[in-house]
């Protein structure tokens, strides 16, 4: 069956983050369809809306829209009707349902979700924290962490910490060095959630070989030796199990899936600590 192709116009009055995320979530369910995406960000004036309509006429396709200004929305919708192409205002069902349920009038301010607020500054602070406590740095500040991520080299600790920071969690990254054991600073911190990451030894050895090749570092071939990697992974896992810490196998998980699991573990732990859990 030949691959189908269609044009997808993503229209936003802000950064396009929301409509792009919605599009990604939908398109992964269409593996046999190729999409030509056209990105229209910061569409806030009549002139900008008219340029979108011209682009849609030149390359007709589906329009996903998160524009909230009624006048600009109406102009885009009318242009799509005249071009006989689908116009999907993806926020409408959620906003209408919330407004009806709460019996309030929903705001129509473009980009309001990106305005700096307490949550925004909390995420920025968490980003700085993840950078400063990456790869075993700043061990004297581990007690300030929400989560301590541990694991042997190349188990995606750093990107996981950065993703957690974007969710507002202060995450510290502590590497497990063969033959060294758990750093005493980790054991001395009862407050942070401790989570271990692991990976299939064969997969891990392949990743390490690639890294050595990229760095042109043939002298450290033992770092990617399969038997050595297998022993390293087993040693770390025994230590994690001994302390009763949750272990997440990241071999077939995306960074987002790993982070989502950690966020849930953290929420469950917080609920128990505050008496909200069973």
């Amino acid at each position: 069956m030949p691959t189908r192709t269609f044009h997808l116009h993503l229209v936003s009055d802000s950064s396009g983050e929301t409509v792009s995320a919605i599009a990604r979530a939908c398109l992964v369910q269409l593996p046999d369809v190729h999409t030509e995406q056209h990105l229209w960000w910061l569409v806030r004036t009549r002139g900008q809306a008219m340029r979108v309509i011209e682009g849609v006429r030149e390359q007709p396709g589906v329009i996903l829209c998160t524009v909230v200004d009624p006048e600009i929305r109406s102009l885009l919708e009318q242009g799509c009707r005249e071009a006989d192409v689908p116009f999907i205002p993806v926020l409408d069902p959620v906003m209408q349902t919330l407004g009806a349920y709460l019996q309030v009038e929903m705001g129509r301010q473009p980009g309001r979700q990106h305005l700096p607020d307490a949550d925004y500054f909390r995420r920025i602070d968490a980003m700085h924290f993840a950078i400063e406590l990456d790869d075993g740095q700043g061990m004297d500040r581990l007690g300030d962490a929400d989560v301590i991520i541990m694991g042997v080299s190349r188990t995606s600790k750093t990107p996981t910490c950065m993703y957690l920071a974007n969710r507002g969690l202060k995450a510290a990254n502590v590497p497990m060095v063969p033959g060294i054991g758990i750093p005493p600073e980790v054991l001395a911190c009862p407050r942070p959630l401790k989570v271990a990451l692991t990976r299939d030894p064969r997969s891990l050895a392949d990743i390490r070989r690639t890294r050595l090749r990229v760095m042109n570092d043939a002298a450290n071939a033992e770092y990617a030796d399969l038997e050595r990697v297998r022993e390293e992974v087993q040693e770390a896992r025994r230590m994690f199990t001994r302390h009763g810490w949750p272990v997440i196998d990241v071999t077939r998980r995306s960074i987002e899936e790993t982070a989502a699991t950690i966020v849930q573990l953290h929420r469950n732990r917080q609920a128990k600590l505050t008496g909200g859990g069973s």
Side-chain angles (χ1 to χ4, degrees), residues 135-206:
D135 202 27
Q137 301 180 86
M139 296 288 278
D140 58 320
R141 296 179 58 198
L142 279 182
D144 297 329
D146 296 307
V147 182
I148 298 176
I149 306 294
M150 292 166 287
V152 300
S153 176
R154 315 315 295 174
T155 48
S156 304
K157 298 185 298 299
T158 295
T160 300
C161 285
M162 295 306 296
Y163 194 92
L164 289 170
N166 194 45
R167 299 289 297 273
L169 289 179
K170 291 183 176 180
N173 160 5
V174 177
M176 292 294 98
V177 181
I180 300 300
I182 306 291
E185 294 90 343
V186 173
L187 301 176
C189 295
R191 191 187 74 85
L193 169 69
K194 301 175 182 67
V195 179
L197 305 185
T198 191
R199 187 184 292 273
D200 173 73
R202 189 173 297 277
S203 169
L204 185 57
D206 289 341

Side-chain angles (χ1 to χ4, degrees), residues 2-273:
T3 300
R4 297 181 58 189
T5 300
F6 80 106
H7 293 281
L8 178 64
H9 295 265
L10 305 181
V11 187
S12 169
D13 53 19
S14 187
S15 66
E17 179 182 343
T18 301
V19 72
S20 295
I22 293 171
R24 282 195 302 271
C26 295
L27 292 175
V28 294
Q29 305 301 330
L30 300 169
D32 297 324
V33 176
H34 175 69
T35 309
E36 293 285 348
Q37 292 192 22
H38 307 274
L39 313 179
W40 307 90
W41 303 157
L42 297 170
V43 179
R44 299 182 179 181
T45 67
R46 291 181 62 86
Q48 291 166 337
M50 290 307 299
R51 283 195 288 275
V52 174
I53 294 169
E54 290 171 9
V56 171
R57 286 173 179 162
E58 290 174 4
Q59 296 177 305
V62 177
I63 291 83
L64 297 187
C65 174
T66 54
V67 174
V68 296
D69 183 277
E71 181 184 359
I72 304 302
R73 266 274 303 276
S74 178
L75 191 62
L76 291 168
E77 196 167 2
Q78 177 64 29
C80 289
R81 270 199 302 270
E82 293 173 357
D84 194 27
V85 294
F87 177 82
I88 307 174
V90 294
L91 296 181
D92 278 18
V94 178
M95 293 178 67
Q96 290 168 3
T97 301
L98 286 173
Y101 180 76
L102 299 171
Q103 296 184 334
V104 295
E105 182 71 26
M106 300 295 288
R108 296 285 177 177
Q109 181 180 342
R112 191 167 185 174
Q113 72 272 30
H114 300 298
L115 293 177
D117 56 11
D119 181 62
Y120 171 84
F121 290 110
R122 182 164 59 90
R123 286 187 283 119
I124 294 298
D125 189 35
M127 288 282 190
H128 287 304
F129 186 88
I131 293 170
E132 292 167 3
L133 275 77
D134 182 46
D135 202 27
Q137 301 180 86
M139 296 288 278
D140 58 320
R141 296 179 58 198
L142 279 182
D144 297 329
D146 296 307
V147 182
I148 298 176
I149 306 294
M150 292 166 287
V152 300
S153 176
R154 315 315 295 174
T155 48
S156 304
K157 298 185 298 299
T158 295
T160 300
C161 285
M162 295 306 296
Y163 194 92
L164 289 170
N166 194 45
R167 299 289 297 273
L169 289 179
K170 291 183 176 180
N173 160 5
V174 177
M176 292 294 98
V177 181
I180 300 300
I182 306 291
E185 294 90 343
V186 173
L187 301 176
C189 295
R191 191 187 74 85
L193 169 69
K194 301 175 182 67
V195 179
L197 305 185
T198 191
R199 187 184 292 273
D200 173 73
R202 189 173 297 277
S203 169
L204 185 57
D206 289 341
I207 292 171
R208 289 184 176 185
R209 272 194 294 272
T210 299
R211 179 168 177 78
L212 290 176
R213 190 161 55 248
V214 169
M215 298 181 67
N216 194 26
D217 187 9
N220 287 313
E222 187 182 0
Y223 171 72
D225 177 75
L226 179 57
E227 286 308 312
R228 182 184 182 278
V229 170
R230 183 175 284 116
E231 292 173 5
E232 190 177 336
V233 169
Q234 290 174 348
E235 177 191 351
R237 189 143 198 169
R238 282 193 295 269
M239 286 191 290
F240 301 146
T241 301
R242 190 180 309 129
H243 289 281
W245 296 329
V247 179
I248 302 174
D249 190 333
V250 302
T251 306
R252 294 177 178 83
R253 287 177 183 256
S254 66
I255 300 298
E256 294 85 351
E257 290 172 323
T258 300
T261 300
I262 295 171
V263 169
Q264 191 60 54
L265 287 169
H266 182 262
R267 285 176 179 166
N268 293 343
R269 185 170 185 266
Q270 292 301 106
K272 289 181 179 179
L273 290 175

